[in-house]
Amino acid sequence: MPTATRLFDLAYLQQETAPGFPMFSYKAGANWVAVSNTEFIERVNQVSKGLIALGVQVGEKVALISENRIEWNILDFAIQQIGAVVVAIYPNISESDYSYIFNHAEIKNCIVSSKSYIRRSLRSETHVRSLNIFLV
């Protein structure tokens, strides 16, 4: 039986062992939407290509500020798949905590899930050496 050695291998393992089986389900309005392992892998690969096009390098740390949602999982897998490092940051920390983490981890790119996180990140950006912020 095949095995997964990295987190992002899990989607491929599930695709091989249970093709078409839902990888995730999320609520959209009043309805639950299932995302098959095939669709999930396609979305991860699209995001991976986008990250590479943006210049994200192997070993580079990418901050991810988001509440729990399907896009967080897609980004988590995509960042790791290209060899970058996910720095998951709680969305409810202080601006000084953001600045500390951005600087200490040498974050160059930060992906956020809402405009309010952008505002908080930008306020701390004045204390950060170099930071690009992307909204998903």
Side-chain angles (χ1 to χ4, degrees), residues 79-97:
I79 292 165
Q80 292 183 60
Q81 181 172 266
I82 64 168
V85 179
V86 176
V87 178
I89 302 174
Y90 286 109
N92 58 348
I93 62 174
S94 71
E95 291 167 26
S96 63
D97 288 337

Side-chain angles (χ1 to χ4, degrees), residues 13-22 37:
L13 176 64
Q14 182 178 332
Q15 184 181 42
E16 190 174 319
T17 58
F21 192 79
N37 43 35

Side-chain angles (χ1 to χ4, degrees), residues 2-22:
T3 60
T5 58
R6 303 161 297 189
L7 179 64
F8 58 87
D9 290 335
L10 291 173
Y12 295 98
L13 176 64
Q14 182 178 332
Q15 184 181 42
E16 190 174 319
T17 58
F21 192 79

